[in-house]
Amino acid sequence: GAVVSQHPSRVICKSGTSVKIECRSLDFQATTMFWYRQFPKQSLMLMATSNEGSKATYEQGVEKDKFLINHASLTLSTLTVTSAHPEDSSFYICSASKGQGALFHEQFFGPGTRLTVL
Amino acid sequence: GEDVEQSLFLSVREGDSSVINCTYTDSSSTYLYWYKQEPGAGLQLLTYIFSNMDMKQDQRLTVLLNKKDKHLSLRIADTQTGDSAIYFCAGYPTDNTNAGKSTFGDGTTLTVKP
């Protein structure tokens, strides 16, 4: 169990458009979901933490109006990159945690979404 | 906050053992994890160790924890070409208010040569 999916896996869009990425926990309820950004050959950079039904907590330096996060249910969180620009091109990874049990904090990662902005 | 450091690259021959090292600053981290990331994919949990343990073995994987030196290592026995990937160590805080918010190292790229 503990499978997390992301959709789409790859997206190419024009500069100025908005792109929505979905993150779903398929077989468990995720009290908390995390959104990361990863540049080539670099580590994961945490962008924001979202809890179902409440506003996301953004990390320092991440523009909340640029990267809109909605955690509408215990199994779905979405990241919308608004007015995307080429510098937003990156690999976006989400993760989800159950928030209960002995390993309540353990994160289960999605397969990632490759965003390319032309 | 927690700082986690790793060596960036490691190259070994198939069949040899690989040792990937990690150092961390926050000694209160209760859980320390190792993840594997293959190209273009998300992170796969490999193993984890609690801070009250010194060693954990899981098939070809052995995790050693030196709490005094704040040093964590992952040993892969009989390394195979399929083990080529980026390996991340991550520390989780004990504070419940930050439950799940972890700090990742920069990742070690393991290359296995046939």
Side-chain angles (χ1 to χ4, degrees):
Chain A
V3 178
V4 176
S5 70
Q6 274 184 249
H7 178 80
S9 56
R10 300 178 70 95
V11 57
I12 301 173
C13 68
K14 293 182 179 179
S15 188
T17 60
S18 294
V19 175
K20 180 185 282 188
I21 303 170
E22 291 187 350
C23 177
R24 291 182 186 272
S25 55
L26 298 184
D27 51 4
F28 68 100
Q29 292 186 326
T31 56
T32 306
M33 287 186 168
F34 303 86
W35 286 96
Y36 295 87
R37 183 174 179 176
Q38 186 180 32
F39 292 100
K41 300 190 186 301
Q42 291 191 21
S43 187
L44 280 73
M45 182 192 79
L46 179 65
M47 298 174 66
T49 303
S50 75
N51 292 290
E52 183 262 341
S54 60
K55 289 184 178 180
T57 302
Y58 290 82
E59 294 299 300
Q60 196 170 10
V62 178
E63 299 176 59
K64 61 181 181 182
D65 295 329
K66 171 79 172 174
F67 299 98
L68 300 177
I69 292 172
N70 185 284
H71 194 156
S73 74
L74 285 171
T75 59
L76 173 64
S77 176
T78 60
L79 167 68
T80 301
V81 182
T82 62
S83 186
H85 287 92
E87 57 265 31
D88 299 325
S89 298
S90 193
F91 193 54
Y92 292 87
I93 304 176
C94 74
S95 70
S97 62
K98 296 179 180 179
Q100 58 183 338
L103 296 174
F104 62 90
H105 59 277
E106 183 175 349
Q107 293 184 37
F108 303 94
F109 286 82
T113 296
R114 171 74 59 193
L115 171 63
T116 303
V117 185
L118 303 177
Chain B
E2 173 87 271
D3 275 335
V4 180
E5 293 187 359
Q6 297 178 239
S7 51
L8 294 181
F9 301 99
L10 177 65
S11 180
V12 301
R13 292 212 172 273
E14 193 173 18
D16 288 349
S17 291
S18 307
V19 179
I20 302 171
N21 296 301
C22 174
T23 57
Y24 57 97
T25 58
D26 185 356
S27 59
S28 67
S29 289
T30 301
Y31 307 96
L32 295 154
Y33 282 66
W34 283 103
Y35 292 91
K36 176 183 180 183
Q37 184 183 33
E38 296 184 4
L43 273 67
Q44 171 195 355
L45 175 65
L46 285 179
T47 187
Y48 61 89
I49 190 168
F50 296 127
S51 60
N52 62 357
M53 299 166 68
D54 296 324
M55 186 194 84
K56 180 180 180 182
Q57 187 164 3
D58 186 359
Q59 298 182 331
R60 292 192 297 123
L61 305 178
T62 302
V63 180
L64 294 177
L65 176 60
N66 183 325
K67 290 183 284 293
K68 176 174 170 289
D69 295 337
K70 299 179 187 175
H71 181 264
L72 180 73
S73 68
L74 172 70
R75 178 177 181 270
I76 305 173
D78 187 24
T79 313
Q80 304 297 306
T81 54
D83 295 324
S84 293
I86 302 175
Y87 291 81
F88 293 95
C89 65
Y92 286 83
T94 56
D95 182 355
N96 261 7
T97 62
N98 285 315
K101 186 174 175 179
S102 61
T103 301
F104 286 83
D106 288 337
T108 299
T109 299
L110 173 64
T111 302
V112 183
K113 299 178 180 178

